[in-house]
Amino acid sequence: MGVTKTEIFTAEQNRVADLAKAFAHPARVAILQMLATRQACVCGDLVEELPLAQATVSQHLKELKRIGIVRGDIDPPRVCYCIDEAVWQEARHVFGDLFDSLLKRTCC
Amino acid sequence: MGVTKTEIFTAEQNRVADLAKAFAHPARVAILQMLATRQACVCGDLVEELPLAQATVSQHLKELKRIGIVRGDIDPPRVCYCIDEAVWQEARHVFGDLFDSLLKRTCC
DNA sequence: AGTATTCATCGTATTATTGCGATGAATACT
DNA sequence: AGTATTCATCGCAATAATACGATGAATACT
């Protein structure tokens, strides 16, 4: 039905899925890479460097803010977008734990 | 348009996005956790443990196989699903490198 | 042959996502 | 007041994803 039954999964599973969504679109990967590797927050420069319309970039940023991995500090009329370091580390640990959970298999 | 412009992003960005998609739905997270932590591959037991219809689980498995992180070894009439360890490690490194790329910020 | 088991796929309905033009809000600068 | 800049949001169109019932293919067991 296009509707995800979030209520039947654990909070942890839903959080992993949400954090993964931040990286589940190449445009958002590009945005996160830009924000992570710049000395300065790029603000609206994102639109210039990405071959996407301003409205589209704004929407991806909105999704990243919803997840929490990006903050938007207003500095009118600009907005300075930054990685939220706490959420970034949360994601690192969540995925790290997940990847570490692989056990040796006895079949296949 | 609901159409992702994959051609305007790097192969690496598209690969990250694809791997992230494996974890971008709580049902797939649950499936991957089950496959990663069982001694034996659970095959069709997935359907029993998940509150989803068999057709839905099969579709999630199809997506995981498309990405490559899961293999389906047929053992008629059963199918034994396993984590593909090589792809699992690929994902670990891809995300590890990404999370390590965060630099100290001088703004915000 | 007939039946049961296991799983994939098809068809369908519904919702989500992606993308962009247009518009609007907020601010700064003349 | 008038203009420019920056960004969010609305509205729309098109595609993707989620979910499931029904059906079919393959195999095993009677």
Side-chain angles (χ1 to χ4, degrees), chain A residues 2-108:
Chain A
V3 64
T4 298
K5 299 176 156 184
T6 54
E7 72 280 3
I8 62 180
F9 299 104
T10 68
E12 187 218 348
Q13 287 166 342
N14 281 308
R15 183 58 176 158
V16 170
D18 236 22
L19 288 169
K21 256 193 213 174
F23 298 94
H25 191 286
R28 288 198 288 271
V29 174
I31 290 172
L32 289 170
Q33 285 179 325
M34 290 175 68
L35 294 182
T37 59
R38 301 286 160 112
Q39 283 301 320
C41 287
V42 284
C43 316
D45 305 337
L46 291 164
V47 177
E48 275 182 38
E49 297 200 34
L50 291 171
L52 293 170
Q54 180 263 327
T56 305
V57 175
S58 185
Q59 214 161 356
H60 282 303
L61 287 168
K62 186 182 178 184
E63 176 68 6
L64 292 173
K65 279 193 286 184
R66 183 191 66 76
I67 294 164
I69 204 165
V70 160
R71 284 204 324 267
D73 297 332
I74 59 171
D75 174 24
R78 299 154 189 277
V79 178
C80 183
Y81 288 104
C82 309
I83 299 290
D84 187 312
E85 199 160 334
V87 178
W88 187 267
Q89 298 304 339
E90 177 202 357
R92 181 209 290 273
H93 288 126
V94 162
F95 283 102
D97 290 350
L98 216 167
F99 286 129
D100 285 344
S101 68
L102 182 64
L103 302 178
K104 284 281 164 250
R105 277 173 287 103
T106 54
C107 69
C108 299

Side-chain angles (χ1 to χ4, degrees), chain B:
Chain B
M1 298 172 191
V3 63
T4 298
K5 299 176 152 183
T6 53
E7 71 280 4
I8 62 180
F9 299 105
T10 69
E12 186 217 349
Q13 288 165 341
N14 281 306
R15 183 57 176 159
V16 171
D18 236 23
L19 287 170
K21 256 193 214 174
F23 298 95
H25 192 285
R28 289 198 288 272
V29 174
I31 290 172
L32 290 170
Q33 284 179 327
M34 290 175 68
L35 294 181
T37 59
R38 302 286 160 113
Q39 284 300 321
C41 288
V42 284
C43 318
D45 304 338
L46 292 164
V47 178
E48 275 182 37
E49 298 200 33
L50 291 171
L52 292 170
Q54 180 263 326
T56 305
V57 174
S58 186
Q59 214 160 359
H60 282 303
L61 288 167
K62 186 183 178 184
E63 176 68 5
L64 292 173
K65 279 194 287 184
R66 183 192 66 76
I67 294 163
I69 203 164
V70 159
R71 284 204 324 268
D73 297 332
I74 60 170
D75 173 25
R78 300 155 188 277
V79 178
C80 183
Y81 288 104
C82 307
I83 299 289
D84 186 312
E85 200 160 334
V87 178
W88 187 268
Q89 299 303 338
E90 178 202 357
R92 181 210 289 274
H93 287 126
V94 163
F95 283 102
D97 289 350
L98 216 167
F99 287 129
D100 285 344
S101 69
L102 182 63
L103 303 178
K104 284 280 163 253
R105 279 173 286 105
T106 55
C107 70
C108 299

